Every structure is written in structure tokens, then in C-alpha cells.
Amino acid sequence: MTTEGAPKSRLELVMEKLRQQDEAQGITQVTLTDAQREAIATAKKGYEAKVAQRRIMHQTAMMATFDPGAALEREEELRRDLARFEREHEEVLAAIRRGDA
């Protein structure tokens, strides 16, 4: 029962069970500061801008490519770059959450 005496909703029961599971596994919930939230939002915008720019560059390169082998190379370059951007973005987010950035 909640503090008001009303029965708990199904969502509240599930959330409570998940919190208990997290505690049993040693996982603690961390509340982000406003500065961290702002830094995460800025990092996300930067990541999205890099991805958009790279996709535009890729489209331009593909329009000028007539060789199927070269097209496959451009596709692989795009995949590698997007994977690198994702890794870098996750590292930045982890640093922000730890308070390093």
C-alpha cells in the first residue's frame, strides 16, 4: 500500500520489484545533475550532427561513384565511421555520468 492507503498499481509493483533486483545485484540508481543532463543533451546534438554530416558526405560520394567495387568501399567506410562515432559518443556519455566531463 502507498502512503495514502490506496493499493499500489501494477506499474508501481513492477518498478519496486526491479529496484529490489537492482539492489540485489549491487546496481545503484544515480540521479544526474542539471549540468550533466545539459552536457548529455549537447553531446547528443553533436553526435547527431556528425552522423548527419557523414551521411551527406557519403551520399555525395555515392552519386559520383560508378564502380561497384568503389561503392562497396564507400559503404564500408560509412559503417566504420558510424560505428566509431557511436563508440566515441558512448565514451563521452559515460564520462559525463561519472562526472569526469
Side-chain angles (χ1 to χ4, degrees):
M1 297 232 154
T2 61
T3 57
E4 300 168 356
K8 291 183 178 180
S9 70
R10 189 171 280 199
L11 175 63
E12 290 172 323
L13 293 171
V14 169
M15 293 301 293
E16 185 176 310
K17 184 176 181 180
L18 289 173
R19 275 191 294 277
Q20 290 171 354
Q21 288 175 354
D22 286 348
E23 287 176 12
Q25 296 174 0
I27 299 171
T28 58
Q29 185 175 359
V30 177
T31 304
L32 299 175
T33 65
D34 289 338
Q36 286 172 316
R37 286 189 190 109
E38 186 175 326
I40 288 171
T42 301
K44 183 178 179 181
K45 287 178 186 176
Y47 165 74
E48 290 171 349
K50 284 171 63 172
V51 168
Q53 180 183 18
R54 183 60 183 95
R55 288 189 185 276
I56 291 168
M57 290 171 50
H58 173 72
Q59 287 175 337
T60 303
M62 291 300 287
M63 289 177 12
T65 302
F66 300 103
D67 177 31
L72 288 174
E73 288 178 26
R74 300 294 85 75
E75 290 290 334
E76 182 57 33
E77 288 173 4
L78 175 66
R79 279 192 291 276
R80 276 194 313 262
D81 287 346
L82 294 179
R84 180 172 45 91
F85 293 161
E86 179 71 22
R87 274 192 317 274
E88 291 170 354
H89 179 61
E90 290 300 324
E91 290 170 4
V92 168
L93 293 180
I96 292 169
R97 289 184 181 114
R98 284 190 311 265
D100 296 346

